[in-house]
Amino acid sequence: MNERVLQILIDSFMKILMAGIKVTIPLAVLSFLFALIISVLVAVIQYAEIKGLKQLCRFYIWIIRGTPILVQLYLVFYGLPSVGIVLPAFPAAVLCFAINEGAYMAESMRAALEAVPKGQLEAGFCVGMSYWQIMRRIILPQAFRTAFPSLSNSFISMIKGTSMASTITVSEMIRQTQIINGRVYQSLALYLEVGFIYLIFCTVLTWLQSWGEKKLNAYGGTR
């Protein structure tokens, strides 16, 4: 570590950090929110045993979990233009990450739904509630509480996974680091720096996850 490298790290830190705040975090948050919607729909369809749709959901999960996210990104960003569908890099990344993570989160949500005692569904019918009222008011709140640690881990993983978006020109932290490194040629120092910034983000999210779990446990204990 000499003065030149140190100055490069100081100059690049805020540029990489701002790329994280302006691009990486919004990309992860948007992708996670859409993935959560997908996962709930897919899990509820499987839980309800809706014929035809259940098999379609299982096929979706099989395809997405069986192919690399990098291939999915390339298909959407580089492949779809050949059939006349052109998406900007950021929306293409959001779409791919949402669909990809939705398949994994759907399995977590399905397991959480199945962990809720079946008697609660029957009790809801006994008091005159419809199926969707029971799901919305009784089953899903409990399932979300059970799935919270797994869903939180998915979001933390997604923060790191967004680095793949650099391969389709999204200007997130890895892409910004590559641009800087192309000028100064200090790969070791710069990639250690961006790794440290990812570590900061994930550490903060881990603290928030622990805080959220404690709040949920406290709420569950007072019910």
Side-chain angles (χ1 to χ4, degrees):
M1 179 70 71
N2 54 42
E3 289 185 8
R4 177 177 176 270
V5 175
L6 182 60
Q7 189 60 49
I8 289 171
L9 292 177
I10 293 171
D11 293 340
S12 63
F13 183 84
M14 285 306 299
K15 293 178 182 178
I16 298 172
L17 180 62
M18 292 309 296
I21 293 171
K22 292 181 178 180
V23 182
T24 296
I25 291 179
L27 175 57
V29 170
L30 286 173
S31 300
F32 180 80
L33 290 176
F34 287 122
L36 186 60
I37 294 170
I38 293 170
S39 67
V40 171
L41 289 174
V42 171
V44 168
I45 287 170
Q46 293 183 90
Y47 181 78
E49 300 282 349
I50 302 174
K51 291 183 179 180
L53 288 180
K54 179 180 179 180
Q55 285 70 29
L56 186 61
C57 289
R58 295 309 305 172
F59 180 75
Y60 153 69
I61 292 171
W62 172 63
I63 289 292
I64 296 301
R65 296 203 305 175
T67 55
I69 181 63
L70 190 58
V71 172
Q72 295 164 21
L73 284 166
Y74 280 9
L75 281 173
V76 171
F77 188 68
Y78 296 114
L80 289 183
S82 65
V83 294
I85 302 173
V86 179
L87 294 175
F90 188 88
V94 170
L95 177 64
C96 284
F97 288 126
I99 292 174
N100 181 272
E101 197 62 37
Y104 291 92
M105 289 166 57
E107 291 297 89
S108 298
M109 281 302 304
R110 181 179 61 84
L113 287 169
E114 292 176 353
V116 179
K118 292 287 186 180
Q120 298 197 24
L121 186 64
E122 297 168 1
F125 285 127
C126 288
V127 298
M129 298 174 70
S130 69
Y131 180 82
W132 294 111
Q133 285 177 323
I134 297 169
M135 291 298 297
R136 188 175 70 253
R137 298 178 183 179
I138 299 174
I139 306 298
L140 280 174
Q142 295 181 71
F144 273 117
R145 183 182 164 205
T146 301
F148 181 80
S150 178
L151 297 179
S152 300
N153 287 336
S154 293
F155 182 62
I156 293 171
S157 178
M158 186 174 284
I159 288 286
K160 296 177 288 183
T162 55
S163 59
M164 287 284 190
S166 64
T167 62
I168 60 169
T169 72
V170 176
S171 298
E172 44 70 69
M173 292 196 293
I174 292 295
R175 182 72 174 176
Q176 186 64 40
T177 304
Q178 291 171 337
I179 292 170
I180 296 170
N181 188 53
R183 296 196 303 264
V184 300
Y185 300 102
Q186 289 294 331
S187 300
L188 178 60
L190 286 170
Y191 285 114
L192 283 173
E193 183 174 54
V194 73
F196 176 70
I197 295 172
Y198 273 112
L199 183 62
I200 292 173
F201 286 169
C202 292
T203 300
V204 171
L205 290 172
T206 301
W207 288 341
L208 290 174
Q209 178 187 14
S210 299
W211 176 82
E213 289 180 12
K214 289 178 183 177
K215 288 293 182 181
L216 285 174
N217 291 333
Y219 172 72
T222 58
R223 293 184 62 185

